[in-house]
Amino acid sequence: MLSPPHAAGRPVTAAGILGVLGVVYGDIGTSPLYAMRASLLFFADDGIDRAEVLGILSLVFWSLILVVTVKYVAFILRADNRGEGGIMSLTALALRALPERSWLRKAAVLVGIAGASLFFSDGMVTPAISVLSAVEGLRVVSPAMEPAVIPLSLCVLLGLFLVQYRGTGRMGRIFGPVTATWFAVMALLGVAQIVQNPSVLAALSPLPAFEFVAGRPLVAFIALGAVVLAVTGGEALYADMGHFGAKPIRLAWLFIVLPALVLNYFGQGALLLANPGALENPFFLLAPEVLRLPLVLLATMATIIASQAMISGAFSVARQCVQLGLLPRLIVRHTSETEEGQIYLPQVNFTLLIGVVILVLEFRSSDALAAAYGIAVTGTFVCTSLLAMVVFWRHFGWPLPLVLPLFGGFLVIDLLYFSSNLLKVPEGGYFPVLLGIALFLLMTSWQRGRELLFARFRQDGLPLKSFIARLPQSRTIRVPGIAVFMTSQADYLPGALLHNLKHNKVLHERVLFVTVTNESIPYVQPDRRREVEELAPGIHRVSLRYGFQESPNIPKELETLREIGIPFEAMQTSYFLGRETVVAAAVPKMSRWRQWLFTIMSRNAVPATEFFRIPSDRVVELGVRVAI
């Protein structure tokens, strides 16, 4: 499995820019469907006035500039982890820069877990609100179509999740052109209204935002909870950096996406200044009546693409969490023979589908879902700012007097958005909060349980060196064949070998102790993948390293041992695995409920045979009880 070329070195091409538009900007590109309306709905009861429209529009514009353009495009995209981005890559970078067992390292792990938990919450809300907001355009075409909105939305979403097993390769070819058309149409619709009411351009100045905030500070603070919807999807710029590189993402944002978004938002503002009643659906009312149905179809395609990008991102983050030891083993199916990043995780896909269907049936409109949307997004923004502060200070060596005011300023903005969204908890914000807390508890329980499990292995285990030293005098019978013992502790004898000796009283002629290590980098170079050490005649220790973007394939790697003169025949090989049953110790080091969670996750984890791609007919499993 070769590591892909570093994205930063790839030339920028038109095809690359189209790919960026389709994959990276689908989410933020569909925000105009609901962001402006949701921001102004708070004022709808007594009618919206010019100051409110310009104030909100100015807040939207400067949010796009400060949060996306300055924070993400100018700074966060610099923090690449060997070409990869995203909250887990940033966490891995922070951990590499911090000393073991330090409080700052432990805090960075918790922030990273919180960010990943909120990302999965966002992964449920994004498809629901995006598709609902597009299909709701049918109400503008004809009020008689309103009863069809929920059933059609569910059909689109069900179809989207049910085809995930086929992979995104074929669908991806149309993502770019459709999204490019979407941005062009948005820009043209906005320009048509701005020309008719150019006074709306006054909102390009921050003055209307300042006046709005100064005149009505409490109302402005509440409105921030909806204004942030304009920058949802900003995290995708960083998360998808490994696929395209920072340069195409920056160019696409500065010269295509940002201008199109600004023109459309200002077009909606111009329309609302001329006709406040257009708040019913300012996006679709930008278009002439004859073009509204085609616009609904185009918007639906754009939201499917936005949802697909989020689903693929959830698959990728879930695999990263597994590789970093934050989740139990999950089924990972590769949907492409050539692209390592195209994966399908059925358990994650099913969970997202159930969550999305519940959201659509519970909230029933994009306006109601807007209350549930902002918390997960802004929470991820906060986690990114905190981790970036550590990475730029400790990893990149930026001086602390520069890092603190810079990322501290971003953090203040993120916290304002986050605290404003907390006001929406009773209206629907409880969903991502409860889901995020549940995922956080699951991940921290799994991480703590693994730490205690490995500590117990080291405490009760026999050092490998002691076993090797005693082996010549033990008179152990050696039998033909190859035995592979999988072990997480390279310096200790695997429990499976001890049980094999105890019950069968034999040892194979050739023995391989295989340890898989997951490193805090996305891909491990081929020359660092394997490390082999001869411990005794016929006995070797094999260390295999994988990055958090890779899926292990143990038999494939062991086949390469022939290159260095170690005989390996797949049909003569038996894999010995220990199957641990976790029980409570006399003095438990985990609370009962956390131990229960860890036990449930252990029982439901994908078997090591499937995760490591070991042939099931070559496996011998030996059970052992472990008290933690």
Side-chain angles (χ1 to χ4, degrees):
M1 187 187 303
L2 295 178
S3 174
H6 197 295
R10 302 174 194 167
V12 179
T13 63
I17 294 293
L18 276 179
V20 167
L21 292 178
V23 175
V24 179
Y25 292 113
D27 188 1
I28 198 169
T30 53
S31 296
L33 285 167
Y34 47 81
M36 195 68 181
R37 170 178 159 80
S39 300
L40 286 166
L41 269 181
F42 184 75
F43 314 102
D45 291 343
D46 56 351
I48 54 174
D49 58 34
R50 180 180 179 84
E52 290 166 347
V53 172
L54 292 181
I56 291 293
L57 194 55
S58 184
L59 284 172
V60 167
F61 174 72
W62 285 101
S63 295
L64 290 169
I65 296 300
L66 294 175
V67 175
V68 184
T69 310
V70 178
K71 176 184 170 182
Y72 277 98
V73 174
F75 289 100
I76 299 296
L77 286 182
R78 298 169 183 257
D80 70 292
N81 189 344
R82 308 280 178 95
E84 291 292 329
I87 189 72
M88 298 315 299
S89 290
L90 195 63
T91 303
L93 269 182
L95 296 182
R96 289 220 306 270
L98 296 170
E100 293 283 347
R101 302 187 181 278
S102 66
W103 71 269
L104 202 55
R105 183 184 178 88
K106 293 176 182 177
V109 171
L110 293 178
V111 171
I113 292 174
S117 302
L118 291 168
F119 180 86
F120 287 121
S121 299
D122 189 19
M124 286 188 181
V125 182
T126 293
I129 192 173
S130 298
V131 172
L132 258 179
S133 61
V135 179
E136 282 172 350
L138 292 174
R139 297 171 181 168
V140 179
V141 175
S142 171
M145 293 185 178
E146 181 163 353
V149 169
I150 299 298
L152 280 176
S153 298
L154 289 173
C155 287
V156 170
L157 289 166
L158 282 169
L160 176 64
F161 281 97
L162 291 177
V163 300
Q164 289 302 310
Y165 75 96
R166 299 177 63 89
T168 59
R170 294 177 182 176
M171 295 171 64
R173 297 190 187 105
I174 65 167
F175 282 5
V178 169
T179 312
T181 303
W182 170 250
F183 283 118
V185 168
M186 281 203 303
L188 290 173
L189 290 174
V191 168
Q193 291 295 327
I194 293 170
V195 168
Q196 296 179 44
N197 198 344
S199 65
V200 74
L201 296 176
L204 288 170
S205 164
L207 191 60
F210 284 130
E211 292 175 346
F212 178 65
V213 171
R216 306 173 71 179
L218 179 59
V219 172
F221 177 71
I222 296 172
L224 280 179
V227 169
V228 76
L229 297 176
V231 295
T232 55
E235 185 72 19
L237 277 72
Y238 182 47
D240 291 312
M241 183 168 61
H243 297 294
F244 303 100
K247 190 172 182 180
I249 291 175
R250 286 193 179 104
L251 290 175
W253 172 256
L254 293 172
F255 296 104
I256 300 175
V257 180
L258 178 61
L261 290 174
V262 170
L263 287 171
N264 191 267
Y265 281 123
F266 275 72
Q268 291 186 47
L271 175 64
L272 291 168
L273 288 177
N275 177 20
L279 188 60
E280 175 195 354
N281 200 318
F283 178 84
F284 286 105
L285 289 173
L286 286 174
E289 188 171 349
V290 70
L291 296 179
R292 285 173 190 164
L293 184 57
L295 184 59
V296 170
L297 297 175
L298 179 61
T300 303
M301 293 181 68
T303 55
I304 289 173
I305 292 170
S307 303
Q308 177 61 61
M310 180 56 70
I311 295 167
S312 299
F315 292 162
S316 179
V317 171
R319 178 170 71 169
Q320 291 174 16
C321 288
V322 171
Q323 294 293 75
L324 291 172
L326 302 177
L327 283 175
R329 294 185 298 265
L330 300 171
I331 297 172
V332 179
R333 293 177 183 160
H334 293 260
T335 58
S336 171
E337 296 181 358
T338 57
E339 295 293 331
E340 165 67 21
Q342 290 190 20
I343 55 175
Y344 168 63
L345 280 73
Q347 294 127 308
V348 175
N349 189 63
F350 180 75
T351 304
L352 289 176
L353 172 59
I354 295 300
V356 166
V357 170
I358 290 173
L359 282 170
V360 171
L361 293 176
E362 174 68 20
F363 290 91
R364 306 190 71 82
S365 75
S366 60
D367 293 335
L369 262 174
Y373 198 19
I375 291 180
V377 176
T378 52
T380 306
F381 285 173
V382 170
C383 294
T384 299
S385 293
L386 289 169
L387 290 169
M389 199 177 296
V390 174
V391 168
F392 279 82
W393 170 42
R394 298 298 296 267
H395 185 77
F396 294 126
W398 286 25
L400 197 58
L402 173 62
V403 170
L404 280 179
L406 178 63
F407 289 97
F410 295 145
L411 183 61
V412 168
I413 294 172
D414 295 336
L415 287 172
L416 278 172
Y417 285 131
F418 182 68
S419 54
S420 175
N421 273 278
L422 288 178
L423 299 175
K424 299 190 292 187
V425 167
E427 303 168 20
Y430 60 84
F431 181 86
V433 170
L434 293 177
L435 181 60
I437 290 172
L439 289 169
F440 182 84
L441 293 176
L442 285 172
M443 285 197 253
T444 51
S445 298
W446 180 256
Q447 184 199 35
R448 177 61 178 158
R450 276 169 48 91
E451 288 176 354
L452 294 175
L453 198 64
F454 293 159
R456 175 62 69 179
F457 287 157
R458 290 190 293 271
Q459 179 181 328
D460 298 343
L462 175 67
L464 192 55
K465 288 183 179 179
S466 300
F467 172 77
I468 297 298
R470 297 175 190 173
L471 190 60
Q473 293 82 35
S474 68
R475 298 181 182 179
T476 302
I477 299 172
R478 307 292 289 266
V479 295
I482 304 170
V484 175
F485 291 91
M486 302 293 297
T487 175
S488 58
Q489 307 298 313
D491 295 325
Y492 289 84
L493 198 67
L497 188 144
L498 284 173
H499 283 272
N500 185 50
L501 285 175
K502 178 181 178 182
H503 296 288
N504 298 323
K505 299 178 174 56
V506 296
L507 191 66
H508 287 70
E509 282 181 336
R510 293 193 293 278
V511 176
L512 300 174
F513 297 115
V514 178
T515 301
V516 175
T517 304
N518 296 308
E519 299 198 350
S520 58
I521 57 176
Y523 299 96
V524 172
Q525 294 298 329
D527 58 344
R528 291 191 60 248
R529 169 82 69 215
R530 183 190 65 215
E531 187 176 311
V532 181
E533 178 186 357
E534 186 175 15
L535 303 175
I539 301 178
H540 294 81
R541 177 163 52 195
V542 181
S543 298
L544 299 175
R545 303 184 184 91
Y546 290 91
F548 56 74
Q549 286 282 59
E550 298 178 290
S551 298
N553 188 332
I554 304 303
K556 179 181 176 181
E557 295 301 333
L558 294 183
E559 292 276 359
T560 65
L561 293 176
R562 297 196 199 100
E563 300 171 3
I564 57 175
I566 299 176
F568 184 85
E569 295 296 333
M571 298 308 296
Q572 295 182 16
T573 302
S574 297
Y575 294 85
F576 289 82
L577 306 177
R579 190 170 188 85
E580 300 88 11
T581 300
V582 179
V583 296
V587 182
K589 295 185 178 179
M590 281 179 84
S591 57
R592 294 283 183 186
W593 66 270
R594 278 191 181 274
Q595 193 170 85
W596 178 79
L597 279 178
F598 181 74
T599 302
I600 293 295
M601 287 190 285
S602 297
R603 290 175 182 170
N604 289 278
V606 171
T609 51
E610 186 169 352
F611 185 77
F612 293 119
R613 306 190 204 181
I614 299 171
S616 57
D617 60 345
R618 310 300 306 174
V619 172
V620 179
E621 283 193 336
L622 299 166
V624 58
R625 289 167 66 89
V626 183
I628 61 172

